[in-house]
Amino acid sequence: MATEKGVPSNSRVMMLLAQLERMNGDIGRQAETARQVTAKILHLIQTQEKSGKEVMSKGSSGMEVILASLENTRDVQTILNISSILTELLTVGRGRRVGVFVSKGGTGILFQTLISASKEMPPSEELMLQLHSLLAKVGPKDRKFGVAARLTGALNVTVNLIKQNLQNPKLLLPCLQVLRVYSTNSVNAIAMGKNGVVELMFKILSPYTKKNTSLLKVALDALGALLKSKTNARRAVDGGYVPILLALYSDWHRNDSRHRHMLIRKGLLVCLRNITNIKLGRKAVIEADGMRVLYNTSTECLPVRTLDPLINTSSLIMRKCFPKNRLPLPTIKSAFFFQLPHVPGSCSSGQMYNPAPGADDVVDESDDNDEADTENDSENEEDDKDQPSPELRIYERFFVELSEDFQGFNFESSKPSSTSMSPSSPFTSSVTPAKSPRPVIVPTAQALSPKHHLPPSASTSSPPAPHGLTSLELDNIHVSKDQTKEPHIPSTDRHECTFSSLSKTTTEVENIEKELARVLECVALDTMDSSLNTEHRGVKQEDVSATGRSRGSDCGSEGTEDDTAEGAVLEVPDTALLLPLHDPDLYVEMVKGTLSVPQYAEVAYPDYFGHVAPTFREPLLERIYGVQRAKIFQDIERLIHPNDILDKVVYDLDIPSCPVIEEDGESLKFNSQFESGNLRKAVQVRKFEYDLVLNSDINSNHYHQWFYFEVSGMRVGATYRFNIINCEKSNSQFNYGMQVLMYSVQEAISGSPRWVRTGSDICYYKNHFARSSIAARPEGKSYYTLTFSINFKHKDDVCYFAYHYPYTYSTLKDAADLLRQDVLCESLGGNSCPLLTITAMPESNSNDHICQFRNRPLIFLSARVHPGETNASWVMKGSLEFLMSSSPLANSLRESYIFKIVPMLNPDGVVNGNHRCSLSGEDLNRQWQNPNPDLHPTIYHTKSLLQYLAHMQRAPLVFCDYHGHSRKKNVFMYGCSVKETVWQSNISATSSDLQEDIGYRALPKILSQIAPAFSMGSCSFVVERSKESTARVVVWREIGVQRSYTMESTLCGCDQGKYKGLQIGTRELEEMGAQFCVALLRLKRLTGLRNHQHLLDLESDILGSQAKVASSCTTTYVLDEDEPSFLEAIDYSAESNDDETEAETENTPEVHENLEQLSDSDTNHRD
């Protein structure tokens, strides 16, 4: 007999095994000897631990000898002895020994022995018990256990044994344990269901008892596994077992006062949960008053934390059984419609224009932020991506700086002491033609009824009453401000800042070096600072734009109470001390030229007053244990107590003549009829609870995420709950500490005009509103609810709520008026798309200076292609204001680069409150491969600008598209790399096959060093097929820009660095925009060369040492949803479909079902 080296072959147990091996050929005739030998082996293994180790040691053939003896013998006592030996051996070893047993074919031998023993009349009860106990140990480790049991007939033996021994708990227990393993195979489950096993299990179940509780637990586990089969679930429903399960659960709940039998109660709930996977099961639970039973029992369990698994499972069952309702809308298409010039049938809008019979919605396309997976547009790629040269020549007018010789320009006038720049200069601003003015309603704070108008002579010397905040017609009011304040006088001793010459002295050069050395100190906009470094943040007061508007430093922190004391008594807050760059009157003028589909005629207070970033930190909201469960139970109460539900519509955009429903003052008033507003319907469900429905993007039937609406008529001391019920994403940062934003008009009048993070009891979960089969996404056929609670501080205040800090198109026009701006094109809705140019004038008109001016590398920036990603505009604001500042860093940047900036690629979407699309109903960031000049004019002309530069051999050094990301924290970048794409795709290719400059990593690396919100670990440089039609990939592939990026800014906050644990605000976003510019200067300083190509070459040399280990270093590839799923009992994937056929294939058995995680567990998470 073979033994392992080191194991003595003359040991007692090995000698006995050798004797047993010699008898295997004739064991039938030596039955008595076999009994004795096996009995001695059993005794040794039971009394000496080393004996078992010798048998199971590596290299030993002891297991083969034992199995061979079991297979050859027919003697019952010998079989019992061998079974006991195997039980002893397999009880220890942490599963390794069971694995060895299975690998030696032990399972099949046990099945054969079971079949043979069952043929004895009567079969030996002790032997059956031993064999089933062994099978219960072996089954979970054998992947083919269920199949082998069915094919050998062992399955039927076990079932018959159970039927014959219902009153024999001792034998019944191991049989049920084996049956539980059999049931994990779907084919076995169906076969046993046909054989009456489901009915058999209900004969074993009993009301509360203290006897045989282990047996009941195993029986419930087996029944739960059987009911995973929809055929068996229907059989249970047809047999009337749903009321029985509910009665049993109530009985055990009532009598198990000490909670000692929680597993039995959980087993009953699991059976109900599996039954409710089918429609008939859900109907049966409702008809048996199961909702009330589960709700009442769960409510009684709430005080006991250890009973959370019961509460979670009950909650899941109730939510599945809650009748699915359609949204309270006539159609899920947008409440607004825009007639397109022409509609290709292949686009989403074309499908909406020509829906299938009986369908009112189109198939959803995209759901993610930034560059989510959508339809693959690569098939629509143009055959000839480059426009012919004659077409591109029309874009020469946007690049006059590349050809201007400055021979007629008086450079003396560009000095600080000289007069303003001559109007004949080629770099004067191109002012957008003013559109015909239209009546605009602006906010006032007069205590008047909405039906009254403020007379022109209205006095504003006394403090405004807090009641009756209303909007009045612009033509009938005069907005009063503090007349003693010094007016801003436009200075005439500086020319336009976008092309300032600002020649450097030696001291200035030294200052630049110092600032680069301490770059964080220069641009960090620390959240705790209470004052601004205006020299670095804003243009000095004497710096004026071509239109003559005076600008001071930008808001970066809120002023003191003394700064705004007078503002508290004004009709509107005079925020000039806090917001030098914001003039409400001028903002209204900009609104007059903004065109919207609904023809908005009101201005929202926050956009009118402006926003001052708060000086206090806003940490991520700590999730309270049990909050989501409590919200779900409140939703379930709607079904259980329907008489408590008001179901009163208080706001409805589908009634265009009167969206605000007149009422008796007991309800809140809502409004979203202003620029960027989005709220379609508000329904009062309880006295202080409202269901809110968002509007789809125009010409679309989905993309419900962005919201911006007004609330008034509130009471102090009441807790209001708001439920946005038609969210589409399966998870949200609202589950991870993100809060909604609120703007209080009373606070603004008191001198604190600002958006603040607010809301308690915030959670995000699947609700009972069903999406149509056409509009359903792979993520599921249900909508999701964002719920939050608010306690208002001021009576009859006017408050605004938003998904993120709003930044309107009119705000952009107001800010961009400072810069040289050309009109790139007009959008579908007739709004101008500005193109900004920022650089410095040449030092003189000498050939050297002109040559240096023309050869400056170009930086191309864009933002806001997705309207709901307002954080992109705040980052862009930070970039623009830093570039326009008088800081030596900004001077150096203007002298080093020519910046071409399209700050808002989708003005129509922004104006009309869309989340992702333009008026064509399409995601513009999926149209870059083949943009349509009529449907996607901003993308078409922006791409043409880049094609013109490529045609002129002046492709930008850096292209960056600013975005926002709703499912990840921090700020990070997407770039483009062939090597990293190949590595990620596991394509076999050597480094020599892939020659690639690693310069694409330089800018993100610099940002990770200087920007506290930036995370290099979240960056990805993989080019996915689904992203081939995005700006980043098209500019990289077609224009040839190596440094082509998407910069993603979180909508939530940070989990690393200086801002770890904090929600992101406008200060941090603007800081990120400024630091992006500083990183460009650091990039220039790293190279020390101005030649475009040399920048690439030298940067590769600098980073060459890192290239050697590039293949070994790992890149964190960003997934569409990198946030971990929130651990809760709600199974978001539990979508049942009665039309699905039963799976008749062999499935890998799964023995033990994982217990659901607590719904509100405190979970550590990171993106």
Side-chain angles (χ1 to χ4, degrees):
M1 176 178 169
T3 60
E4 184 185 13
K5 183 178 181 180
V7 177
S9 59
N10 59 351
S11 67
R12 180 65 175 159
V13 70
M14 300 309 292
M15 291 174 62
L16 290 171
L17 285 172
Q19 183 180 354
L20 188 62
E21 183 179 19
R22 289 192 295 270
M23 290 192 300
N24 275 342
D26 194 21
I27 197 171
R29 296 182 181 181
Q30 304 182 49
E32 186 63 30
T33 306
R35 290 176 199 160
Q36 295 175 2
V37 172
T38 53
K40 292 177 181 178
I41 294 173
L42 175 61
H43 176 74
L44 287 172
I45 292 176
Q46 287 176 334
T47 58
Q48 299 179 13
E49 183 180 352
K50 67 175 184 178
S51 297
K53 293 181 178 180
E54 291 174 5
V55 175
M56 297 302 301
S57 61
K58 187 176 181 181
S60 172
S61 60
M63 180 60 74
E64 288 92 332
V65 173
I66 295 172
L67 290 176
S69 300
L70 179 61
E71 185 177 17
N72 295 329
T73 186
R74 293 295 179 265
D75 182 67
V76 174
Q77 187 57 50
T78 303
I79 295 174
L80 283 171
N81 290 342
I82 295 176
S83 299
S84 298
I85 291 171
L86 290 172
T87 301
E88 292 290 335
L89 291 174
L90 301 182
T91 301
V92 296
R94 297 183 179 179
R96 186 192 68 82
R97 293 185 178 184
V98 177
V100 172
F101 176 86
V102 171
S103 67
K104 303 295 184 182
T107 306
I109 295 174
L110 285 180
F111 282 146
Q112 292 176 10
T113 305
L114 180 64
I115 298 296
S116 300
S118 67
K119 295 178 181 178
E120 300 292 334
M121 287 300 173
S124 170
E125 178 178 324
E126 186 178 0
L127 179 58
M128 288 297 179
L129 190 151
Q130 285 277 15
L131 290 174
H132 279 89
S133 297
L134 269 175
L135 288 170
K137 292 179 182 295
V138 172
K141 294 292 184 179
D142 191 344
R143 301 179 63 185
K144 298 182 180 180
F145 187 82
V147 178
R150 185 175 68 254
L151 296 179
T152 59
L155 177 62
N156 292 330
V157 172
T158 302
V159 171
N160 292 332
L161 201 61
I162 292 174
K163 291 179 179 179
Q164 297 165 9
N165 293 273
L166 289 176
Q167 305 304 320
N168 185 354
K170 184 178 179 181
L171 178 58
L172 194 58
L173 179 60
C175 291
L176 288 174
Q177 289 173 336
V178 176
L179 187 73
R180 178 176 60 186
V181 185
Y182 291 160
S183 302
T184 58
N185 181 284
S186 61
V187 178
N188 287 352
I190 295 172
M192 286 189 287
K194 293 178 180 178
N195 201 11
V197 177
V198 174
E199 294 80 0
L200 192 63
M201 292 296 102
F202 279 100
K203 293 180 180 179
I204 299 173
L205 302 183
S206 68
Y208 177 77
T209 178
K210 296 182 179 180
K211 298 180 180 180
N212 301 321
T213 54
S214 298
L215 179 67
L216 289 174
K217 171 63 176 65
V218 176
L220 285 169
D221 288 345
L223 179 59
L226 287 169
L227 293 176
K228 286 183 178 180
S229 162
K230 293 180 181 178
T231 300
N232 291 339
R234 293 189 191 99
R235 184 172 283 107
V237 173
D238 295 339
Y241 292 116
V242 171
I244 294 175
L245 286 171
L246 287 168
L248 287 172
Y249 180 71
S250 297
D251 183 68
W252 279 88
H253 169 79
R254 183 171 54 255
N255 291 286
D256 185 24
S257 58
R258 296 188 178 182
H259 314 302
R260 293 178 176 176
H261 305 295
M262 192 180 74
L263 292 178
I264 292 178
R265 294 157 66 181
K266 176 68 181 296
L268 289 166
L269 290 175
V270 168
C271 293
L272 285 168
R273 184 195 67 189
N274 292 341
I275 288 176
T276 53
N277 283 335
I278 63 172
K279 189 180 296 183
L280 283 176
R282 297 190 288 272
K283 182 179 178 183
V285 169
I286 293 176
E287 291 176 349
D289 202 23
M291 296 288 282
R292 189 180 301 275
V293 170
L294 295 176
Y295 176 80
N296 291 336
T297 55
S298 298
T299 304
E300 294 171 8
C301 291
L302 284 174
V304 185
R305 184 79 169 262
T306 56
L307 298 181
D308 276 354
L310 302 182
I311 301 170
N312 295 336
T313 308
S314 297
S315 175
L316 174 60
I317 297 169
M318 288 187 284
R319 294 183 65 193
K320 289 167 67 176
C321 294
F322 203 112
K324 289 290 183 182
N325 299 323
R326 286 188 64 84
L327 289 174
L329 299 174
T331 173
I332 59 175
K333 295 176 183 176
S334 174
F336 307 123
F337 172 76
F338 180 80
Q339 181 64 52
L340 299 177
H342 71 277
V343 186
S346 59
C347 73
S348 59
S349 301
Q351 297 171 24
M352 289 190 66
Y353 278 96
N354 303 288
D360 62 350
D361 304 301
V362 297
V363 178
D364 286 7
E365 297 166 307
S366 173
D367 184 40
D368 196 16
N369 32 38
D370 153 53
E371 301 178 348
D373 289 338
T374 57
E375 68 278 4
N376 183 4
D377 295 321
S378 60
E379 297 178 359
N380 301 324
E381 191 171 343
E382 293 177 282
D383 294 333
D384 184 9
K385 297 181 179 62
D386 294 327
Q387 297 184 36
S389 180
E391 288 186 21
L392 293 175
R393 286 192 190 126
I394 64 173
Y395 297 97
E396 289 178 355
R397 63 189 179 92
F398 297 108
F399 300 97
V400 292
E401 61 272 8
L402 300 183
S403 57
E404 175 61 35
D405 58 11
F406 295 94
Q407 295 307 312
F409 187 77
N410 181 10
F411 282 87
E412 290 299 319
S413 66
S414 67
K415 306 279 172 138
S417 59
S418 60
T419 59
S420 63
M421 189 164 133
S422 168
S424 62
S425 167
F427 297 104
T428 52
S429 119
S430 302
V431 182
T432 305
K435 295 181 172 60
S436 58
R438 56 187 175 83
V440 176
I441 300 175
V442 298
T444 69
Q446 292 299 313
L448 298 176
S449 166
K451 296 181 181 179
H452 294 79
H453 297 284
L454 179 68
S457 60
S459 172
T460 59
S461 59
S462 59
H467 179 69
L469 293 166
T470 181
S471 299
L472 301 177
E473 299 238 352
L474 178 64
D475 296 339
N476 294 334
I477 69 168
H478 297 280
V479 179
S480 299
K481 290 198 174 80
D482 187 355
Q483 299 300 321
T484 64
K485 177 167 60 84
E486 294 262 344
H488 291 286
I489 306 298
S491 172
T492 58
D493 61 354
R494 297 273 275 192
H495 76 283
E496 178 182 22
C497 205
T498 45
F499 294 97
S500 59
S501 58
L502 297 175
S503 60
K504 290 189 180 68
T505 64
T506 304
T507 303
E508 287 176 323
V509 174
E510 293 175 354
N511 288 340
I512 291 176
E513 293 298 322
K514 291 179 181 178
E515 289 195 56
L516 283 171
R518 53 184 181 86
V519 62
L520 285 175
E521 297 180 12
C522 294
V523 298
L525 312 176
D526 195 295
T527 55
M528 300 304 295
D529 290 343
S530 61
S531 61
L532 287 174
N533 186 336
T534 55
E535 182 180 2
H536 292 172
R537 287 279 297 161
V539 182
K540 290 184 179 180
Q541 186 166 331
E542 65 262 22
D543 295 340
V544 295
S545 68
T547 57
R549 290 178 57 184
S550 174
R551 298 283 182 164
S553 64
D554 182 30
C555 65
S557 63
E558 189 178 351
T560 63
E561 292 297 324
D562 293 337
D563 292 333
T564 57
E566 290 186 82
V569 300
L570 298 178
E571 177 185 331
V572 295
D574 187 358
T575 58
L577 294 177
L578 299 173
L579 293 165
L581 297 185
H582 181 79
D583 187 327
D585 295 333
L586 290 174
Y587 180 81
V588 171
E589 293 302 314
M590 295 299 171
V591 173
K592 290 181 180 180
T594 298
L595 303 179
S596 62
V597 173
Q599 298 183 346
Y600 292 134
E602 296 181 27
V603 179
Y605 283 91
D607 305 322
Y608 181 68
F609 291 165
H611 161 72
V612 180
T615 58
F616 49 82
R617 294 177 181 269
E618 296 180 293
L620 293 169
L621 181 68
E622 184 177 353
R623 190 180 180 90
I624 301 174
Y625 183 86
V627 60
Q628 176 163 307
R629 184 171 59 201
K631 298 295 184 181
I632 292 171
F633 272 47
Q634 290 176 21
D635 292 346
I636 293 170
E637 287 174 3
R638 299 187 189 189
L639 183 65
I640 298 174
H641 306 295
N643 294 333
D644 296 341
I645 304 304
L646 300 177
D647 201 24
K648 176 183 177 182
V649 178
V650 296
Y651 182 74
D652 193 353
L653 276 185
D654 291 300
I655 309 176
S657 59
C658 186
V660 181
I661 311 300
E662 292 294 333
E663 45 78 37
D664 54 5
E666 292 297 319
S667 305
L668 293 176
K669 295 179 181 179
F670 294 84
N671 182 31
S672 63
Q673 298 182 93
F674 46 80
E675 186 176 349
S676 295
N678 190 316
L679 177 67
R680 181 169 183 171
K681 192 169 187 175
V683 181
Q684 186 178 15
V685 292
R686 295 185 178 96
K687 185 175 182 179
F688 298 113
E689 182 177 356
Y690 294 82
D691 281 351
L692 309 179
V693 184
L694 304 182
N695 194 25
S696 304
D697 286 3
I698 292 179
N699 281 339
S700 173
N701 67 356
H702 52 299
Y703 300 118
H704 310 107
Q705 186 167 342
W706 167 257
F707 57 87
Y708 183 18
F709 57 88
E710 171 194 302
V711 176
S712 59
M714 65 282 294
R715 297 181 182 180
V716 177
T719 300
Y720 289 88
R721 177 183 172 184
F722 297 101
N723 311 307
I724 298 176
I725 61 175
N726 62 333
C727 302
E728 295 173 331
K729 296 189 176 183
S730 61
N731 203 355
S732 169
Q733 284 289 331
F734 285 113
N735 274 338
Y736 301 95
M738 180 172 163
Q739 293 177 282
V740 298
L741 284 150
M742 186 182 79
Y743 192 106
S744 166
V745 174
Q746 292 284 16
E747 292 289 330
I749 291 175
S750 300
S752 300
R754 62 193 180 196
W755 287 97
V756 293
R757 300 277 187 173
T758 190
S760 60
D761 296 346
I762 300 176
C763 53
Y764 186 95
Y765 56 89
K766 182 186 287 187
N767 60 33
H768 59 277
F769 290 102
R771 303 181 69 181
S772 71
S773 58
I774 296 177
R777 303 284 318 276
E779 292 182 345
K781 298 179 181 179
S782 296
Y783 286 103
Y784 293 79
T785 291
L786 163 63
T787 180
F788 58 95
S789 298
I790 296 290
N791 286 282
F792 295 101
K793 295 181 179 180
H794 306 286
K795 182 182 178 182
D796 293 324
D797 195 0
V798 175
C799 293
Y800 290 78
F801 292 95
Y803 178 67
H804 198 67
Y805 300 94
Y807 194 99
T808 65
Y809 172 65
S810 297
T811 300
L812 171 70
K813 290 196 298 180
D814 187 30
D817 191 48
L818 169 67
L819 312 173
R820 168 194 165 185
Q821 71 177 271
D822 299 297
V823 178
L824 176 62
C825 63
E826 280 203 348
S827 64
L828 272 175
N831 293 300
S832 300
C833 179
L835 170 67
L836 310 179
T837 301
I838 301 177
T839 192
M841 294 287 284
E843 294 184 24
S844 71
N845 56 8
S846 68
N847 289 337
D848 290 344
H849 288 156
I850 297 299
C851 182
Q852 183 276 339
F853 176 81
R854 292 179 180 177
N855 289 321
R856 291 174 186 170
L858 278 91
I859 306 294
F860 203 106
L861 306 179
S862 63
R864 209 67 186 280
V865 70
H866 295 146
E869 296 169 7
T870 57
N871 48 355
S873 284
W874 289 99
V875 175
M876 179 62 75
K877 180 176 184 285
S879 293
L880 291 175
E881 291 182 0
F882 181 80
L883 289 173
M884 290 302 300
S885 72
S886 57
S887 162
L889 287 174
N891 294 341
S892 182
L893 273 170
R894 292 192 293 265
E895 293 184 348
S896 301
Y897 299 112
I898 297 174
F899 289 87
K900 291 290 181 178
I901 302 172
V902 184
M904 193 169 284
L905 283 166
N906 191 352
D908 290 340
V910 173
V911 169
N912 293 285
N914 286 3
H915 171 63
R916 195 171 183 89
C917 299
S918 67
L919 292 185
S920 67
E922 297 170 295
D923 182 350
L924 290 182
N925 203 36
R926 293 300 183 279
Q927 312 304 324
W928 279 80
Q929 280 186 329
N930 188 16
N932 185 297
D934 297 322
L935 295 178
H936 325 118
T938 59
I939 304 301
Y940 178 85
H941 291 291
T942 303
K943 182 179 180 180
S944 297
L945 286 178
L946 292 161
Q947 287 175 322
Y948 170 78
L949 289 173
H951 177 73
M952 298 295 293
Q953 315 251 324
R954 291 299 306 275
L957 173 66
V958 173
F959 171 87
C960 190
D961 190 19
Y962 292 177
H963 279 255
H965 206 289
S966 67
R967 300 199 196 188
K968 285 179 63 67
K969 291 183 172 67
N970 309 315
V971 181
F972 54 93
M973 277 182 162
Y974 292 126
C976 301
S977 166
V978 173
K979 277 190 176 182
E980 297 198 32
T981 303
V982 169
W983 293 335
Q984 178 73 358
S985 305
N986 294 321
I987 300 174
S988 58
T990 62
S991 298
S992 59
D993 296 332
L994 300 172
Q995 297 297 328
E996 183 177 42
D997 194 312
I998 63 170
Y1000 65 89
R1001 276 182 168 266
L1003 191 58
K1005 283 181 181 292
I1006 295 171
L1007 283 170
S1008 68
Q1009 296 168 2
I1010 69 173
F1014 194 87
S1015 171
M1016 188 67 187
S1018 296
C1019 294
S1020 173
F1021 303 95
V1022 176
V1023 180
E1024 299 175 359
R1025 183 176 297 275
S1026 60
K1027 313 296 174 61
E1028 289 184 347
S1029 56
T1030 62
R1032 164 178 62 97
V1033 178
V1034 171
V1035 172
W1036 171 67
R1037 182 169 289 160
E1038 298 183 21
I1039 310 301
V1041 178
Q1042 183 196 33
R1043 295 179 182 85
S1044 180
Y1045 306 104
T1046 296
M1047 188 164 74
E1048 296 280 351
S1049 299
T1050 179
L1051 293 162
C1052 178
C1054 299
D1055 62 4
Q1056 52 92 52
K1058 175 182 175 182
Y1059 302 129
K1060 182 177 181 179
L1062 299 178
Q1063 297 185 74
I1064 202 161
T1066 55
R1067 186 194 312 276
E1068 292 76 31
L1069 292 169
E1070 291 182 53
E1071 175 192 58
M1072 189 65 235
Q1075 287 166 329
F1076 179 85
C1077 297
V1078 173
L1080 294 174
L1081 200 55
R1082 176 73 68 87
L1083 182 65
K1084 172 180 176 291
R1085 183 170 178 264
L1086 278 175
T1087 61
L1089 296 175
R1090 295 183 178 181
N1091 180 272
H1092 186 158
Q1093 185 58 46
H1094 285 186
L1095 281 170
L1096 299 176
D1097 298 339
L1098 187 55
E1099 183 179 306
S1100 296
D1101 295 337
I1102 294 172
L1103 301 176
S1105 59
Q1106 299 176 6
K1108 297 177 182 179
V1109 296
S1111 59
S1112 61
C1113 66
T1114 58
T1115 299
T1116 303
Y1117 299 103
V1118 181
L1119 303 177
D1120 286 335
E1121 183 177 355
D1122 200 41
E1123 189 76 72
S1125 298
F1126 193 76
L1127 299 180
E1128 58 165 323
I1130 309 310
D1131 182 8
Y1132 283 160
S1133 62
E1135 294 290 342
S1136 58
N1137 183 358
D1138 291 331
D1139 297 330
E1140 291 181 0
T1141 58
E1142 287 288 356
E1144 300 292 343
T1145 58
E1146 304 295 345
N1147 293 337
T1148 301
E1150 299 173 359
V1151 180
H1152 298 293
E1153 180 183 345
N1154 292 328
L1155 291 177
E1156 285 126 350
Q1157 302 292 332
L1158 300 182
S1159 64
D1160 296 283
S1161 57
D1162 296 329
T1163 307
N1164 292 327
H1165 60 274
R1166 71 179 300 276
D1167 290 327

